[in-house]
Amino acid sequence: MPGTTIASVTTLTPERPARCAPSRAARELGLKRYEFDLAVQLGRIRTVPDEGGGGRRVDWAELARLQAQAGFPETLRARVRIVGTKEGALLMGVSDGRFARLARLGLLVPVHFYLNRYRAVVWLYLAEELRQFAANDDHAELIKGRTPETLRSQLMSGLDLRPRNWRGRHLGFLLRQAEDPWTRAGAIAAFLPDAEIAGIVKSPYERARLNRLRPALPDHGAPGSPSALLGEEIMTARDADEIAWLTADLTRQLEATRVPPPVSSPAPGPRDHTTRQARVRRLPTPPVPRTPAPAAVSDIPMVRSDEPTSRPPARDGHAPTPDAPRPPRGLLTWLCRRTPRSAPTGRHARGT
């Protein structure tokens, strides 16, 4: 209609938050959820704590950095690819038995494990680390040569460092994400037996807080089932030296929690500075001299009667007799003094 102004309508779109949830980040990066979690544990993907206490979050800037890398997303998947014993032996060009012996000796560190339907432990390794181990010329004798006698004797005695190496690696994952001594103490306590924790932490309050901060380790079956018990046995330290190391580290973290934070004093203002300078430059007050004590009667010099003395002139022409005592002087004497009467004047002078 003429004379009618049509106002333009602006559509407001909500601003995208600066961070996203891990599930959204895994989809953006083309990773499965366990691959994303492993990349976070290995430090391939940086996460930040949620301000609202909802777990970890990923910045969109971090996703943009990963997506801008050459060969994305194949290179990122290759860095978090995990393999079992059979596939790992193929990557290294060795037999399954030799691969297992190298892993039991602690030369190959597993990154994950699970229990199959027969309740057998299946260890998983990073394919990238296996390639690096095989490419190292220092390991050529271990890969293709004969196993040294010292290592063979250790294998014959039942040595298996795979559970211990996994615990150490997983503890490193947890400590990397810890932000305070209490969280680090909870991560360490997750791998110690309950009896050891009770012997270290005497306070019930500290023990309850430590149990609350212990991170949840991977679940393997229903609680109390044989699979769960086997998984708990793998995740708990058993060797004496490993328990001693974890115990010392836990004690150190608990001592760090008991140290009060330093109290930062505010910067002094101009008035505080002036007051401080005046207090510093204040001179000590000199001592007040004491009034000397009155002299004793024996120390007062007495005037002899035969010595001539000078007397003030007498008032009203009357001179005191030499033998008359001197009247005392004081306020009462002054008030009670007698004044001579003046001559009567006026009517009293003429008589009545």
Side-chain angles (χ1 to χ4, degrees):
M1 297 177 61
T4 304
T5 303
I6 301 177
S8 60
V9 180
T10 304
T11 304
L12 299 177
T13 58
E15 185 179 358
R16 187 176 68 174
R19 299 169 182 174
C20 63
S23 57
R24 176 66 183 275
R27 291 195 303 269
E28 293 289 336
L29 297 175
L31 299 176
K32 298 179 181 179
R33 184 54 190 268
Y34 78 90
E35 293 176 336
F36 175 84
D37 295 338
L38 182 58
V40 171
Q41 292 176 351
L42 295 173
R44 307 287 192 266
I45 302 175
R46 295 191 292 264
T47 60
V48 293
D50 187 15
E51 297 178 355
R56 311 287 295 187
R57 292 290 185 268
V58 184
D59 291 335
W60 286 99
E62 176 68 10
L63 299 180
R65 182 187 68 86
L66 296 172
Q67 293 170 353
Q69 293 179 353
F72 176 84
E74 285 76 12
T75 54
L76 182 58
R77 285 204 198 98
R79 299 178 68 182
V80 295
R81 181 189 173 194
I82 54 178
V83 295
T85 300
K86 190 174 187 62
E87 192 173 358
L90 292 176
L91 287 176
M92 296 180 60
V94 297
S95 63
D96 297 353
R98 184 179 289 268
F99 183 92
R101 288 194 295 271
L102 293 176
R104 288 175 58 189
L105 289 171
L107 301 176
L108 305 176
V109 182
V111 72
H112 188 62
F113 78 94
Y114 68 92
L115 304 178
N116 59 12
R117 58 180 179 177
Y118 303 107
R119 290 199 296 272
V121 183
V122 180
W123 298 100
L124 301 175
Y125 308 84
L126 277 174
E128 183 181 18
E129 291 182 354
L130 298 182
R131 293 193 191 94
Q132 294 175 358
F133 185 89
N136 193 344
D137 296 337
D138 297 338
H139 302 154
E141 187 67 22
L142 295 173
I143 294 176
K144 298 181 180 180
R146 183 179 177 85
T147 305
E149 186 63 28
T150 55
L151 299 182
R152 293 178 59 185
S153 61
Q154 293 178 2
L155 293 173
M156 294 296 295
S157 63
L159 177 67
D160 189 357
L161 296 178
R162 289 175 294 184
R164 178 170 179 172
N165 286 341
W166 177 87
R167 289 192 294 267
R169 189 164 204 169
H170 199 72
L171 177 59
F173 296 159
L174 298 176
L175 293 178
R176 190 179 297 115
Q177 297 181 355
E179 300 176 354
D180 54 81
W182 271 114
T183 309
R184 288 190 288 270
I188 298 171
F191 299 93
L192 280 173
D194 295 337
E196 296 291 337
I197 297 176
I200 299 172
V201 188
K202 303 296 184 180
S203 173
Y205 166 75
E206 291 184 349
R207 191 158 54 247
R209 184 173 183 178
L210 192 64
N211 293 332
R212 186 171 65 254
L213 293 176
R214 293 173 67 174
L217 298 177
D219 296 332
H220 300 278
S225 62
S227 299
L229 295 178
L230 180 58
E232 184 179 354
E233 182 180 355
I234 294 175
M235 292 180 291
T236 305
R238 299 297 176 184
D239 300 334
D241 56 342
E242 183 184 4
I243 292 177
W245 174 72
L246 292 175
T247 300
D249 203 1
L250 178 60
T251 304
R252 184 167 57 254
Q253 295 298 333
L254 291 176
E255 291 176 355
T257 61
R258 301 187 185 105
V259 176
V263 180
S264 58
S265 58
R271 184 175 180 181
D272 298 338
H273 181 73
T274 306
T275 306
R276 186 181 298 108
Q277 291 295 333
R279 184 166 56 250
V280 172
R281 297 177 181 177
R282 184 180 300 169
L283 297 177
T285 305
V288 180
R290 295 184 178 180
T291 304
V297 178
S298 60
D299 297 337
I300 300 176
M302 304 298 293
V303 180
R304 297 177 57 182
S305 59
D306 55 350
E307 294 180 358
T309 57
S310 59
R311 299 179 181 273
R315 300 177 63 181
D316 298 336
H318 299 281
T321 59
D323 298 335
R326 188 175 183 179
R329 294 182 179 181
L331 180 61
L332 183 60
T333 304
W334 184 81
L335 293 176
C336 298
R337 73 185 183 280
R338 299 180 61 181
T339 57
R341 294 183 179 181
S342 57
T345 57
R347 185 180 57 178
H348 299 283
R350 292 190 301 267
T352 56

